[in-house]
Amino acid sequence: MTSSFTHGPQQAARQTCYAAVIFDFGGVLTTPMDDTARHFAREVGLPHDSYRHAVAVHPDGRRLYAQLERGEITQEEWNTGIAALLGIDGTNLMGRALAMLRPEESVVVAAAAIRAAGLRTAILSNSMGLSPHNPYEPWDLESAHDVLVFSEQHRLRKPEPEIYELTLELLGLQGPQCVFVDDNPAHLIPARQLGMTTIHATDPALTVARLQQLIPHQ
């Protein structure tokens, strides 16, 4: 696998001036979402890519996910809609689909070290719903980070610029003071437009190496 690193303007001039790192959740602080999706499909006897296709490719599934992320529908409504697309039982579908999701330990440790070094850390996540299944709970994010922004709580979602601006406002910082880490390249664009340095996280070891390069924390 490869990882790409992109940055905002005048990166070299401000490498030592960062005050915070903003992390995406799924696929950055966790094991890959696609791996989890394929495991779930196999568990329920579906073709290996069918669940991922339903939520990320099928137009009705994409619409349901966008509505969930904005808090326009509940997780239970999402469960029912996605289950209908797949022809399976919708009971606690989100919880079952994410059952194999695990912390990406190297990135979690790096985030803790960065915070211990005196920088602030934040989570900016397009929500997967918080009830009845809360996928964030095992990570104890409230104590591990300074600011948490879950899209459904603000009726906004990445890559809408307003949710990045909200995160900066809650941190009390400007874009050039922050590094933003996300596994979706489309979600990096608004961050760069606000002056943030961005890391496209596609491999944990390389993500940690890029963070170490920008913010020596070990």
Side-chain angles (χ1 to χ4, degrees):
M1 297 178 69
T2 60
S3 178
S4 59
F5 168 62
T6 53
H7 53 78
Q10 299 180 342
Q11 175 213 329
R14 55 181 174 81
Q15 274 191 331
T16 60
C17 300
Y18 299 115
V21 180
I22 303 168
F23 293 91
D24 177 38
F25 177 73
V28 175
L29 294 179
T30 78
T31 49
M33 299 294 290
D34 285 354
D35 291 354
T36 302
R38 294 184 181 109
H39 176 87
F40 173 68
R42 290 193 298 269
E43 284 288 302
V44 296
L46 295 172
H48 81 285
D49 215 30
S50 56
Y51 173 73
R52 181 186 176 279
H53 185 274
V55 300
V57 179
H58 192 290
D60 290 342
R62 288 171 58 88
R63 174 181 52 80
L64 285 167
Y65 227 126
Q67 290 176 318
L68 177 67
E69 289 171 341
R70 288 199 185 95
E72 295 171 354
I73 62 173
T74 67
Q75 189 184 88
E76 289 178 319
E77 289 172 317
W78 180 91
N79 289 343
T80 299
I82 295 297
L85 289 179
L86 292 169
I88 63 174
D89 177 21
T91 304
N92 190 30
L93 178 56
M94 183 66 81
R96 289 156 51 213
L98 297 178
M100 293 303 295
L101 198 66
R102 297 289 184 270
E104 193 62 73
E105 292 290 353
S106 62
V107 182
V108 171
V109 168
I114 287 167
R115 195 174 186 222
L119 281 77
R120 306 186 77 197
T121 61
I123 302 298
L124 172 53
S125 176
N126 276 353
S127 179
M128 296 175 278
L130 300 172
S131 177
H133 175 71
N134 183 348
Y136 307 100
E137 188 172 9
W139 275 255
D140 194 21
L141 297 177
E142 288 189 2
S143 63
H145 300 277
D146 299 285
V147 168
L148 305 180
V149 178
F150 300 130
S151 62
E152 69 172 274
Q153 296 178 330
H154 303 282
R155 299 297 193 266
L156 297 166
R157 63 192 283 265
K158 295 180 290 186
E160 295 169 0
E162 292 83 1
I163 199 166
Y164 299 81
E165 293 167 354
L166 172 64
T167 305
L168 291 173
E169 180 182 342
L170 292 172
L171 283 167
L173 298 171
Q174 299 296 314
Q177 296 174 280
C178 298
V179 176
F180 178 67
V181 188
D182 203 297
D183 63 330
N184 186 334
H187 293 170
L188 301 176
I189 296 170
R192 287 199 298 271
Q193 290 172 340
L194 288 167
M196 298 185 211
T197 295
T198 61
I199 298 175
H200 182 200
T202 58
D203 176 84
L206 292 177
T207 296
V208 171
R210 297 304 191 190
L211 286 167
Q212 179 69 27
Q213 179 184 31
L214 289 170
I215 305 164
H217 55 268
Q218 294 175 344

